[in-house]
Amino acid sequence: MELELQIASYENVSVLRCRGRLTYGPETVEFVRATRQALETTKDIVLQMAEVTRIDSGGVGALGSVLITARKRNAEIKLAMLHPRVAEVLRITGLELLFDIHTSESEAVAAFSTKNDVAR
């Protein structure tokens, strides 16, 4: 299955629900494009990845790329609901240390409002 992306918004947070595989090729190109497009309108993004069942080095690179883009724009990306295979790849590559990872989409969205309350 190719990568499918669905975008939802909650207050000032964009949620990208990813489904399929995040692998080198058109999937990673579309993933990076959609994430960067979301960064044009918000600084808070959740990547909900419960249904991403496969990730390869291209997908790892795409995650790293969008994280760097977000940080350059003073934005933040959180991950939610990682599929066990994806979680294992992120652990092996060390990317899990760079992302704020949550067990549910709502928890990840709520973490932004907690951050914003502390900043005030």
Side-chain angles (χ1 to χ4, degrees), residues 3-43:
L3 184 67
E4 297 173 18
L5 297 170
Q6 177 188 29
I7 301 172
S9 291
Y10 300 96
E11 296 179 23
N12 295 329
V13 179
S14 286
V15 177
L16 274 70
R17 294 184 185 120
C18 309
R19 181 175 188 212
R21 63 183 187 214
L22 188 54
T23 55
Y24 179 79
E27 292 86 5
T28 53
V29 171
E30 177 59 18
F31 173 78
V32 169
R33 185 203 63 75
T35 307
R36 287 185 176 162
Q37 183 177 355
L39 284 167
E40 296 293 328
T41 58
T42 184
K43 291 192 176 283

Side-chain angles (χ1 to χ4, degrees), residues 3-102:
L3 184 67
E4 297 173 18
L5 297 170
Q6 177 188 29
I7 301 172
S9 291
Y10 300 96
E11 296 179 23
N12 295 329
V13 179
S14 286
V15 177
L16 274 70
R17 294 184 185 120
C18 309
R19 181 175 188 212
R21 63 183 187 214
L22 188 54
T23 55
Y24 179 79
E27 292 86 5
T28 53
V29 171
E30 177 59 18
F31 173 78
V32 169
R33 185 203 63 75
T35 307
R36 287 185 176 162
Q37 183 177 355
L39 284 167
E40 296 293 328
T41 58
T42 184
K43 291 192 176 283
D44 298 335
I45 295 178
V46 172
L47 300 175
Q48 193 263 67
M49 302 180 70
E51 295 186 62
V52 174
T53 55
R54 189 168 157 218
I55 187 170
D56 67 3
S57 61
V60 169
L63 282 171
S65 173
V66 297
L67 181 64
I68 290 167
T69 300
R71 289 188 174 168
K72 284 181 180 177
R73 297 180 184 188
N74 292 320
E76 189 174 352
I77 295 178
K78 296 183 186 300
L79 303 181
M81 303 173 64
L82 295 181
H83 186 282
R85 288 185 207 147
V86 173
E88 179 64 9
V89 169
L90 295 187
R91 186 191 65 74
I92 290 169
T93 60
L95 268 184
E96 74 173 356
L97 302 173
L98 300 178
F99 283 99
D100 187 10
I101 302 172
H102 296 270

